[in-house]
Amino acid sequence: MRATVLVAVLLASPVAAQGPAFDSPGQSSYGTMGQTTRFSTEFNPAIGFVIDAFGDYLGVDNDSDGFNAELRLLEFNAAAYIDPDAWAYVVISSEELEGVEVEEAAVEYIGFDNNSTLKGGRFFVDFGKQMQQHLEELRTLERPLVLREYLGEELAGTGGQWDHWFAVGDSPVRFSVGVFADLLGEGHHEDEGEEEPETAVPERKDFDELSFSARVTGMRDVGESGILQLGASTRIVPEFTAEFGPLSQDGLSNVVYGGDITFGHTDETGNKRFTCGGEALLFDGDLSAEVDDPAAPTVLTVLDDDVFGFYGFADYAWNQQDSAGVQYSRIESPENPADDVSELDFYYTHHFTEFRRIRFGVTAIDAPMDGDALRAYVQLTGFFGSHAHGLNW
Amino acid sequence: MKRMPTSLAAALLLGGVAAAQLDVVATIPDLKDIAEEIGGDRVDVISIARGTENIHGVSLRPSHLVKVNKADVLIQIGLSLEHAYVPGLLEKGRNRRIQPGAPGFVNCSEGWEAIDVPEEISRSRGADIHPLGNPHMNIDPRGGRHMADRILAGFLRVDPEHAEHYEKRHAAYVAKLDEAETRWAKLGERLRGKKIAIYHNDFTYFARHYGMNVVTSVEPKPGVPPSPKDLARTVEVLRREQVGVILTAKWSNNKDVRFVAEKSGARVIEIPIMVHGVKGVDTWIGMMDFLHRELVGALDP
């Protein structure tokens, strides 16, 4: 019986280019559109994998210190043209072997007769310099503190984004506008084991309750070897709800504004590279929510305020294989704006080849409420097959 | 093509001067030089690479994006030599005139018989694997003629009205090449059978053309930096085979090369792998003259 149902389902379910072997009358047919060889691999997408693992020692002012090792990330990515005017990509990952997540799956339309593109699907939001990057692409083990706290570990949204760039003299200027179902961010405080109110946007909403993003950025040559980039970004969540057990509060909203500056210099051989820069963020609106007693909550309090934070970094590669840098981030805590929290990273990266690298780093966190922490880590990353994310600007 | 104020254009037209130049983007200075030889004052050419960097890892600048967006012609070597930057540049440059297959896309390796075509496409063979074969055809003494032919074909496709101009200049350049090739052939005879070591396989076409003996490379496999064990092996091979010269480019003239040279007693010669790769080498013919002169001076003084 089960086998019969399975066969029926398979016959009734054409799967993209690998359609059914036989089309009965009334079925939508892919065969009439030219793709008739079901088992051809010639049009398959480029496929890549990433493995990212680390071992670390964490010293904190409580009992959770000690050594650990984690297979942090398995990432599968694939990309291909759908037709001459559109391409698509997918990034599927498993973090810390806890389930599988579709980080990105999007189609980008490139058929406009100008410098515009239109992207739809789920993808990392165009905010600043580091939010578009996947974890393994970062120069440090984690995203900078200010980005984690104000935007989330990752900021992927399901929606659409229009991109356009134009030239001012010899300098390109790009802007993007995105509209999304939800931009609350992921991973905010989830790993700290704290019981906190959950935030969510309404499943069905008016247009002005959708989340928005926007970015404008320009780059210019500085002499023969330098590049200067300036950018400004925003992320708007105009309607969300905080809930904890029976308690909830709706009509909440917040906005994050960001400004970024980056300078890069490369010597004449291309081997020695110096990069420095930073981002400053202002987080405004309903920042956080808490309950009086997580065991028996009676009051849910929402903090409406604005907080400021930033990060800055400097990174130097003295040959093709070796680089080192420092990154510093400081924030006013969204939970308690009177508290300043800071994070200082030192790191050294060695590329065995273009596709395999090892990184040693030390991260020091100074947090008045949660206590100070020191983390030393070694990170090993391997890139397999096709792997590229193109120009990130 | 270059845009100009209407009044200026009108003045030029009234003066009987054909005004519009082709905007040309060349990936490396070698192609810029040859394109200027063939195009003359009808082309305005920029090069993305400076000539001193690793040819596979050229850093893009913002102005390159703008130039690509407005270009009438893009000239590349191909064979995935520029795979690290041309595909992304073409994607973001959003210029249909120079996409692969369009008249303005000039692939100089088209019709070239590549060597070192890998039998297996696997990273186990090296990090810097080129599925279509060794892409460093610009270091082959015959390469200038082939690149010039392909560039001429591209200019004729895009700007057929000025075919006579391009063909005349191409013929003049080929005559220069004929003369140079005669000069190089005499010098090349003195290189036959000479033993050398290289850092990367960017010199293979030249060496093979003259029957030189490339005994070993400092890189154990393309794109893979040598380990201490690899370096020890290279030193041992150079001593055993009595190899007196290591050829390296500016970007790869590093501590590993110096270590091998010091331990084996070999001499390091820094060669250009692109025009402008060493000071004073400003044309493709000039680069070839430099290579022949330097090598003969080192190997058969």
Side-chain angles (χ1 to χ4, degrees):
Chain A
M1 177 61 186
R2 283 183 181 172
T4 308
V5 172
L6 179 63
V7 168
V9 168
L10 288 175
L11 285 174
S13 306
V15 183
Q18 280 70 44
F22 183 83
D23 286 344
S24 58
Q27 277 189 303
S28 62
S29 171
Y30 293 93
T32 56
M33 297 172 72
Q35 176 108 13
T36 54
T37 309
R38 289 197 304 151
F39 303 116
S40 166
T41 59
E42 290 167 325
F43 295 96
N44 281 358
I47 293 171
F49 289 94
V50 180
I51 291 179
D52 185 46
F54 71 85
D56 68 344
Y57 173 80
L58 185 64
V60 293
D61 293 345
N62 57 39
D63 292 338
S64 60
D65 58 356
F67 290 95
N68 189 25
E70 279 187 6
L71 181 56
R72 180 169 69 156
L73 180 74
L74 287 172
E75 182 187 288
F76 165 87
N77 54 71
Y81 277 97
I82 300 171
D83 58 44
D85 288 333
W87 70 284
Y89 69 102
V90 60
V91 181
I92 297 170
S93 72
S94 175
E95 288 184 30
E96 298 168 13
L97 299 177
E98 292 177 359
V100 174
E101 181 189 10
V102 178
E103 287 192 334
E104 297 193 76
V107 177
E108 185 160 13
Y109 180 74
I110 56 172
F112 297 112
D113 197 22
N114 56 37
N115 294 350
S116 291
T117 58
L118 193 60
K119 184 153 72 171
R122 179 173 177 79
F123 51 92
F124 280 12
V125 170
D126 188 18
F127 189 107
K129 288 286 288 180
Q130 291 203 39
M131 290 311 294
Q132 303 168 48
Q133 293 184 303
H134 293 252
L135 281 176
E136 77 279 3
E137 297 173 308
L138 301 171
R139 66 175 64 85
T140 48
L141 192 63
E142 306 281 357
R143 234 174 275 279
L145 175 69
V146 63
L147 301 181
R148 297 200 307 271
E149 290 294 315
Y150 292 3
L151 292 167
E153 299 276 359
E154 290 181 345
L155 186 57
T158 302
Q161 179 178 296
W162 174 50
D163 265 87
H164 183 79
W165 76 267
F166 57 95
V168 179
D170 276 346
S171 302
V173 175
R174 182 182 72 87
F175 63 83
S176 72
V177 179
V179 56
F180 301 90
D182 176 1
L183 281 186
L184 280 172
E186 292 177 12
H188 185 67
H189 285 190
E190 280 176 359
D191 58 349
E192 295 177 13
E194 297 173 3
E195 282 196 88
E196 288 188 339
E198 289 188 359
T199 55
V201 299
E203 190 175 337
R204 294 280 160 195
K205 39 207 163 265
D206 295 333
F207 181 78
D208 59 2
E209 294 174 339
L210 292 167
S211 297
F212 295 90
S213 72
R215 174 161 171 78
V216 59
T217 179
M219 293 192 291
R220 63 165 299 147
D221 298 3
V222 179
E224 282 252 327
S225 309
I227 297 174
L228 177 67
Q229 180 180 11
L230 299 172
S233 312
T234 187
R235 182 235 62 175
I236 304 168
V237 180
E239 175 72 33
F240 71 93
T241 305
E243 293 178 345
F244 193 97
L247 304 175
S248 72
Q249 190 165 340
D250 55 13
L252 306 177
S253 66
N254 63 38
V255 183
V256 180
Y257 304 100
D260 55 271
I261 180 169
T262 313
F263 174 74
H265 183 275
T266 308
D267 83 334
E268 62 177 352
T269 66
N271 293 341
K272 294 178 181 172
R273 299 177 303 281
F274 172 73
T275 316
C276 64
E279 294 188 52
L281 274 67
L282 180 69
F283 188 13
D284 184 29
D286 298 307
L287 306 180
S288 61
E290 61 180 6
V291 290
D292 52 346
D293 179 6
T298 56
V299 180
L300 188 152
T301 308
V302 174
L303 177 64
D304 182 357
D305 206 330
D306 60 84
V307 288
F308 175 80
F310 69 92
Y311 77 86
F313 74 94
D315 186 289
Y316 181 63
W318 55 91
N319 59 40
Q320 279 195 304
Q321 294 175 269
D322 302 293
S323 64
V326 58
Q327 182 168 277
Y328 178 73
S329 183
R330 188 177 188 89
I331 63 167
E332 293 169 343
S333 168
E335 282 79 33
N336 186 356
D339 277 349
D340 277 3
V341 182
S342 66
E343 180 179 79
L344 180 63
D345 278 285
F346 293 98
Y347 55 92
Y348 160 73
T349 307
H350 176 78
H351 281 86
F352 298 102
T353 66
E354 191 179 338
F355 305 101
R356 184 164 55 94
R357 71 157 193 238
I358 190 166
R359 176 176 291 147
F360 300 92
V362 176
T363 305
I365 296 179
D366 180 8
M369 293 293 284
D370 300 324
D372 297 347
L374 187 70
R375 182 186 205 182
Y377 62 87
V378 55
Q379 178 188 10
L380 191 62
T381 310
F383 301 88
F384 305 79
S386 305
H387 184 88
H389 291 276
L391 300 172
N392 169 27
W393 63 303
Chain B
M1 295 195 188
K2 277 214 177 304
R3 290 146 189 86
M4 63 181 67
T6 310
S7 54
L8 177 59
L12 290 172
L13 286 173
L14 285 172
V17 179
Q21 285 179 305
L22 293 181
D23 282 320
V24 180
V25 173
T27 54
I28 63 174
D30 309 41
L31 301 174
K32 176 178 186 287
D33 169 54
I34 298 172
E36 285 173 339
E37 287 280 355
I38 296 168
D41 60 2
R42 297 216 55 77
V43 296
D44 180 15
V45 193
I46 67 142
S47 168
I48 293 173
R50 285 189 278 182
T52 47
E53 61 271 75
N54 180 351
I55 201 167
H56 301 301
V58 173
S59 296
L60 295 178
R61 291 191 290 154
S63 58
H64 293 147
L65 191 60
V66 177
K67 297 285 188 191
V68 163
N69 178 252
K70 294 176 178 173
D72 300 300
V73 177
L74 181 132
I75 308 172
Q76 68 161 18
I77 292 286
L79 296 173
S80 76
L81 181 78
E82 303 99 335
H83 62 166
Y85 57 99
V86 164
L89 200 53
L90 286 176
E91 184 191 323
K92 295 296 180 187
R94 311 275 297 141
N95 180 347
R96 290 176 188 266
R97 296 189 299 276
I98 57 168
Q99 296 295 323
F105 181 79
V106 178
N107 186 24
C108 284
S109 58
E110 185 186 331
W112 179 261
E113 193 175 334
I115 61 174
D116 300 338
V117 179
E119 292 175 4
E120 180 194 14
I121 308 300
S122 166
R123 298 278 185 226
S124 68
R125 300 297 184 100
D128 194 5
I129 291 295
H130 298 279
L132 299 174
N134 189 316
H136 300 280
M137 62 165 288
N138 63 313
I139 304 293
D140 191 313
R142 303 163 302 169
R145 191 180 297 269
H146 192 88
M147 291 186 282
D149 290 349
R150 298 266 54 85
I151 291 170
L152 171 67
F155 287 169
L156 294 180
R157 281 197 304 270
V158 173
D159 189 20
E161 289 175 17
H162 299 97
E164 194 179 336
H165 169 85
Y166 299 123
E167 284 166 346
K168 194 175 166 185
R169 291 190 64 91
H170 175 265
Y173 187 62
V174 167
K176 279 194 216 175
L177 287 173
D178 288 340
E179 198 178 306
E181 284 172 4
T182 306
R183 187 165 70 237
W184 300 334
K186 283 180 188 166
L187 291 169
E189 279 304 310
R190 295 164 64 183
L191 298 174
R192 191 163 300 283
K194 300 293 184 191
K195 290 180 178 178
I196 56 168
I198 57 176
Y199 181 85
H200 179 69
N201 57 7
D202 42 20
F203 196 68
T204 316
Y205 280 107
F206 188 102
R208 198 168 296 190
H209 181 72
Y210 289 123
M212 298 173 75
N213 184 359
V214 180
V215 175
T216 188
S217 62
V218 180
E219 274 186 335
K221 290 178 178 175
V224 179
S227 65
K229 190 176 169 187
D230 294 322
L231 293 174
R233 177 198 60 82
T234 306
V235 169
E236 192 271 323
V237 169
L238 262 60
R239 281 179 183 159
R240 189 182 66 229
E241 297 289 331
Q242 296 184 314
V243 178
V245 166
I246 304 170
L247 300 183
T248 187
K250 194 173 193 74
W251 70 269
S252 55
N253 192 357
N254 54 31
K255 62 178 172 50
D256 295 329
V257 172
R258 290 191 290 276
F259 173 84
V260 170
E262 188 183 320
K263 296 292 179 188
S264 66
R267 174 182 166 195
V268 177
I269 298 182
E270 192 173 287
I271 55 164
I273 55 164
M274 288 182 270
V275 170
H276 301 310
V278 298
K279 206 169 182 179
V281 170
D282 301 324
T283 65
W284 188 81
I285 291 176
M287 177 175 76
M288 280 293 146
D289 277 331
F290 179 92
L291 285 171
H292 286 82
R293 198 170 55 240
E294 282 291 304
L295 289 172
V296 168
L299 296 167
D300 187 31

